[in-house]
Amino acid sequence: MQRRAPDPDDPTNLMKEDGVSVCSQMWIENFREPDRIVTNLTSYIRRFELWVLAYQKVYADETGTYIPRSAIQKSALEDLLALRNAVLDDRFKWGARLQFFIKSPRDKTDYESLSKRKIKAILTTTQPAPFQDKIVQEVLFMILEPIYESRFSQKSYAFRPGRNAHTVLRVIRRNFAGYLWYIKGDLSTVLDGMKVGLVINALMRDVRDKKVIDLVKSALVTPVITSQVDEGEKKKKTKRKYQKKKVLAEDEPKPDPYWLESFFGFAPEEAEKLPKWGHCGILSPLLANICLDELDRWMERKIKEFYRPSKSDVIWNSPEGEAEQGNTSWPEFVPTSGPDKTRKMDYVRYGGHILIGIRGPRADAATLRKQLMEFVDQRYMLKLDNESLPIEHITKGIMFLDHVLCRRVVYPTLRYTATGGKIISEKGVGTLLSVTASLKQCIKQFRKLNFLKGDRDPDPQPCFRMFHATQAHTNAQMNKFLLAMVEWYRYADNRKKIVNFCSYIIRGSLAKLYAAKYKLRSRAKVYKIGARNLGRPLKEKKGQSPDYQNLLRMGLVESIDGLLFTRMSLVPEADYTPFPGNWRPDHEKALIEYIRLDDPKTLEEQRSCIREQGLVSPQDYVSMLVWNYKRNAIAMDQLSLVKSGGSNIQNDQQLLSSSNHENYEDKIKEEEESEGLHVARI
């Protein structure tokens, strides 16, 4: 009986491997050879496992629930296969409104039976990105991200895995100590959009696959249909007094909770703008980093050219120069005395915002600014002036990511050993780089969220968004918000002060809310009943209900958690954990370590090192046991070898090294005893 051949059109037969393992292999290949030009990416587009993985991701974003591969319906897999074939055959069009290869699981519309009016409304009004477009974007993102993450500069930190604003602040604290002049640049207009030719040229520096380039180009070129709401419709909406509350379906994703929405409102200026280019979707931040990577490389070359060590600087006079920046025991301390100083420069980029620190005369900063303006004009067609690239001194305070960089003068006692072994103590003068959270920006963000009014004497305002929520739910939401704020200001020197201020605003806002809700007239009355942390129930009336503690013990009421950080002593200290100079994210460390261990040279080096030290590797020892067992047909209990200790070591070694040559046994008996003792201890 002949076996039936597998159907090539059956999508289940195309899933030969897990999509995650395919992605892992792509990351390993690109980190193993980061400088190679990639030519054949169409083979990865053909891999159906990547399309299934992309479907799972987009499905989770659409519905809020993750679907395992085994739970995907066959009809959905067939539609997904049709979408893949359409992309390979150049039949896929970005921004389709009526004809889809695969529809969203939430889309129940029958497009064939729509009226002309509804079809016209779909074609002419703003619509969310189609489900199939998101899948194609996800596949392209999974293919392109490992290629460029292995090539990107270590000076960029936005829109990249394992890097965030905290990483930038820690890098600034470690590497920018001692810099007097700062250039702060705003290139965020690049994130609004660039010419298609510039994006494609930047993409083709490392990728030469026609299919991928054409897909990205068509996504950039295809116009996005947007429509503005008429004034008549606006008036109708404003006239409507009551709007029925929408009941979410079971498979519909839930909106962000109030605390998370409030925390997103605290996003600093540098992190507010997210690039959205054409139909690229999640590819837009990656394409923006690809375009701006040329600026990062140019700045790295300028940093090397600018570096001039000085013998009078005791910290930066190492021959490596850039390899070790600053004193490892106290990296923030920089001596300010001495006529001749080391010329140094450093640079970080977060999205479209750059920060350059310069140790040297102001003329060097002006020269660098002029060169930077010429480079940006030549590469990105962006005209910058002196106002968009200001040069500021450290004494004025440099604002970056809602943190202020300033310096504090300190007078530490320096002890060193002079000639003859005499220990000399001298009082030195130096500076510490201080990274403090901006209280002014914090007040501005709270005012934007309607939590307070006033600048000099901020007055909390009632949080009426939580008027219909219970006291327990409101306190829980605000506690999550405060915990997020504590984490956001983790590396600020004034962490305790700024978090205590946030707690004061939140506590005052809730006190006013509860005073209005429970008709208690004033905040003082609320604090008297609900305590300082508002942890006691406010609507309890004496004589009409049992005590709150008894109800809580019986499980008849909800437990109310008091607000956190009501006192400054409860706020944790700033995190001063040392930041390594050659820092990399954990996933990149794991990749580099895996590639190093997978290299045959590493294995050979380890074996030679073991031989030189006279040790026996576990693999060699196991193979020796197996070989002697097969040869002598005697089973050896390894546990007895460990437990027996020194009394049975000689007998076991004789069994392991049994041979017909007795003279050879006598010669190596002492060596085997030491090796057997070492193995037995292991």
Side-chain angles (χ1 to χ4, degrees), residues 578-618:
F579 193 68
N582 55 348
W583 178 87
R584 277 181 176 268
D586 292 338
H587 69 280
E588 291 188 8
K589 287 181 182 178
L591 282 169
I592 295 171
E593 185 67 16
Y594 176 83
I595 293 169
R596 189 183 70 84
L597 295 176
D598 194 45
D599 190 359
K601 294 182 180 178
T602 305
L603 184 60
E604 189 61 32
E605 290 176 359
Q606 290 178 350
R607 287 180 175 176
S608 62
C609 181
I610 289 174
R611 291 195 205 99
E612 290 176 0
Q613 297 184 8
L615 303 176
V616 180
S617 65

Side-chain angles (χ1 to χ4, degrees), residues 489-541:
Y489 293 118
R490 179 175 183 175
Y491 299 101
D493 290 341
N494 59 341
R495 183 188 190 185
K496 296 175 78 69
K497 180 180 178 181
I498 196 78
V499 172
N500 187 62
F501 173 77
C502 295
S503 177
Y504 161 74
I505 297 297
I506 295 297
R507 194 160 50 91
S509 176
L510 290 189
K512 285 190 173 183
L513 170 68
Y514 293 150
K517 184 176 180 179
Y518 300 118
K519 300 179 181 179
L520 297 175
R521 296 185 181 180
S522 65
R523 281 189 288 176
K525 188 84 173 191
V526 173
Y527 290 138
K528 184 178 180 181
I529 300 175
R532 181 184 177 89
N533 62 353
L534 303 176
R536 296 177 186 171
L538 291 169
K539 67 175 184 177
E540 177 190 356
K541 294 183 180 179

